[in-house]
Amino acid sequence: MSDVVKYTYLDTSALMRRAEGIARTTTARNAKIAPVLGGIFSDPTRKFGCSELGLLEFHNTITTNLRSNVNSDWDFQWWNDARQELLEDISSGKFTVLPTPPKYAEHVMSLVTLATQEHGRALRAWDAMHAVIAGRWSYELSADVVILTSDDDFDKALAVTNFGNRVTFENLDVLASTGEGLDSRSTSS
C-alpha cells in the first residue's frame, strides 16, 4: 500500500451520484457507479475536499429531486439520509469544506470568457468554479489534486486553467464503465 496522499476534490455531481446510489431503487448508471464510489471513499490514501458552494448546489439538487416525483424512492427519508451522510462526513473530518476563494467570481468569469473566446468551447460557470477551488486547494497543499466528477465536460474547465498537471480529474462514468456521459464519448471514438 502506498502512503502517498491522493487529495480528491468532490464536485457536486460526485456527491449526487453517492446520494442517488443510496436510494432503494437506482438507475443502471448509479448501480455501476456505487461500488466504485464505495472503493474511493474507503481508500485510506485519499483525503477529500468539497466547496461551500458545492454543498449549497448539492442541497438544492437533492431538495429539487425530493419535490420532483421522478423517482418515488427520492422521498423524505432518502433526502434526510443523503444530507445526514454528507454532514457526518464533514463533522468527522472525512471531508474538508474548502472556503470560496476571494475574487472567485472574477476568476470564474475569466475562465468562461477564455474558454469561449480563445478555445471556442462552452464552459459552465459551476465547473469553472469547482476548478478554481480545487486549484487553490492544490496550491495551498503544494500537492496535486484530482477532481472526482461525473460531468462529461470537465476537461473544458481544466483546459483553460494554468494549473498544469497539478489539477486533474477522474470521471465516475469512465471508472465504472457505465457507457454514459464521458464514457459514452470515449467508447464511441
Side-chain angles (χ1 to χ4, degrees), residues 39-95:
I40 289 170
F41 287 129
S42 65
D43 181 347
T45 66
R46 292 208 189 227
K47 301 292 182 203
F48 300 98
C50 59
S51 69
E52 294 171 331
L53 294 172
L55 294 176
L56 294 174
E57 188 180 15
F58 170 80
H59 188 268
N60 180 68
T61 304
I62 64 169
T63 303
T64 299
N65 287 353
L66 171 67
R67 294 187 314 258
S68 74
N69 298 320
V70 169
N71 179 336
S72 62
D73 289 334
W74 290 344
D75 56 13
F76 183 76
Q77 185 62 51
W78 166 80
W79 177 83
N80 194 52
D81 290 349
R83 288 177 57 251
Q84 192 62 35
E85 182 177 45
L86 179 59
L87 293 173
E88 287 173 5
D89 284 338
I90 294 167
S91 175
S92 72
K94 182 175 183 170
F95 293 177

Side-chain angles (χ1 to χ4, degrees), residues 1-188:
M1 179 170 100
S2 170
D3 47 356
V4 174
V5 175
K6 189 168 189 176
Y7 292 99
T8 305
Y9 177 88
L10 305 168
D11 84 339
T12 308
S13 70
L15 296 173
M16 284 306 304
R17 296 301 78 78
R18 183 171 81 152
E20 291 166 1
I22 68 169
R24 287 181 302 277
T25 59
T26 191
T27 63
R29 176 189 191 199
N30 280 323
K32 290 178 181 177
I33 289 174
V36 171
L37 274 173
I40 289 170
F41 287 129
S42 65
D43 181 347
T45 66
R46 292 208 189 227
K47 301 292 182 203
F48 300 98
C50 59
S51 69
E52 294 171 331
L53 294 172
L55 294 176
L56 294 174
E57 188 180 15
F58 170 80
H59 188 268
N60 180 68
T61 304
I62 64 169
T63 303
T64 299
N65 287 353
L66 171 67
R67 294 187 314 258
S68 74
N69 298 320
V70 169
N71 179 336
S72 62
D73 289 334
W74 290 344
D75 56 13
F76 183 76
Q77 185 62 51
W78 166 80
W79 177 83
N80 194 52
D81 290 349
R83 288 177 57 251
Q84 192 62 35
E85 182 177 45
L86 179 59
L87 293 173
E88 287 173 5
D89 284 338
I90 294 167
S91 175
S92 72
K94 182 175 183 170
F95 293 177
T96 299
V97 178
L98 305 168
T100 305
K103 300 198 180 274
Y104 81 94
E106 292 92 336
H107 197 164
V108 166
M109 288 188 300
S110 295
L111 290 177
V112 170
T113 299
L114 181 65
T116 301
Q117 287 181 339
E118 296 191 20
H119 297 278
R121 301 181 84 175
L123 174 60
R124 295 181 301 198
W126 291 118
D127 290 340
M129 182 223 33
H130 288 299
V132 166
I133 294 170
R136 180 180 173 115
W137 193 34
S138 171
Y139 282 98
E140 287 173 353
L141 295 167
S142 294
D144 295 345
V145 169
V146 62
I147 299 171
L148 189 64
T149 185
S150 65
D151 286 352
D152 65 354
D153 60 353
F154 221 92
D155 56 328
K156 295 175 188 174
L158 296 181
V160 296
T161 68
N162 61 354
F163 302 140
N165 291 330
R166 293 195 68 154
V167 179
T168 57
F169 74 99
E170 291 179 342
N171 184 280
L172 289 166
D173 287 303
V174 172
L175 294 174
S177 300
T178 65
E180 297 188 40
L182 184 61
D183 193 43
S184 69
R185 284 195 339 210
S186 62
T187 58
S188 64

